[in-house]
Amino acid sequence: MSKFQLLDAVTLTEAVALADGGVAPPETAGAIVEVFKKGEAYLVELFGGWVKAEVGGDFVPATQDEPGAFMETIGVETVYPHQLQLVKSASEMMGDRERLQSVLDNLSEDLVAEVCDFAEFLQEKQQKVRSD
């Protein structure tokens, strides 16, 4: 099992080169968007400062509290476990239904069908308990 899970909030423990030629410094915030080879590496969306979009489409610096503000993506890079520190697990940030939807979005159709069969089994089990 991997050290980090899909959608975990993380920070970098060391600088990471960005594909555009820049560098993300230590403590850069990110989110795990893909897990490679059971956690040997991760695809991490890395974030810069808070910005908001102007009417013309340009981003301007903003504060976290401003309406429409969001953290700008500075890169999506392959990062290794020793380069990451967990800030908050996905399970702490979202409910079980959201986590399940995220997992389902990344499964093949045959595995989604298996999950559906299991969910229907649980539903029938729950209905039987209620009627007893």
Side-chain angles (χ1 to χ4, degrees):
M1 181 148 193
S2 70
K3 182 175 179 180
F4 303 102
Q5 304 300 314
L6 193 63
L7 303 179
D8 281 353
V10 294
T11 57
L12 296 177
T13 59
E14 60 185 57
V16 170
L18 300 173
D20 71 359
V23 174
E27 299 185 18
T28 297
I32 305 289
V33 295
E34 192 165 341
V35 178
F36 299 123
K37 294 187 177 182
K38 297 181 182 176
E40 289 181 22
Y42 302 90
L43 194 62
V44 180
E45 182 174 3
L46 299 169
F47 303 111
W50 286 91
V51 295
K52 64 180 182 179
E54 288 187 318
V55 175
D58 293 330
F59 294 147
V60 295
T63 64
Q64 181 178 352
D65 300 328
E66 289 184 61
F70 60 94
M71 290 183 80
E72 181 178 24
T73 298
I74 60 170
V76 180
E77 307 295 338
T78 300
V79 182
Y80 298 93
H82 70 277
Q83 297 174 301
L84 295 171
Q85 178 177 334
L86 181 66
V87 173
K88 201 168 206 180
S89 69
S91 61
E92 292 178 79
M93 293 185 293
M94 60 180 70
D96 290 336
R97 291 179 191 277
E98 292 168 307
R99 284 181 40 221
L100 179 58
Q101 184 61 53
S102 171
V103 170
L104 288 172
D105 289 343
N106 290 288
L107 291 179
S108 63
E109 289 302 313
D110 59 324
L111 292 177
V112 169
E114 286 187 43
V115 172
C116 188
D117 289 344
F118 183 66
E120 288 171 346
F121 164 77
L122 292 175
Q123 184 179 36
E124 289 173 15
K125 183 177 174 181
Q126 178 179 355
Q127 289 171 347
K128 183 178 179 194
V129 169
R130 286 183 181 165
S131 65
D132 287 345

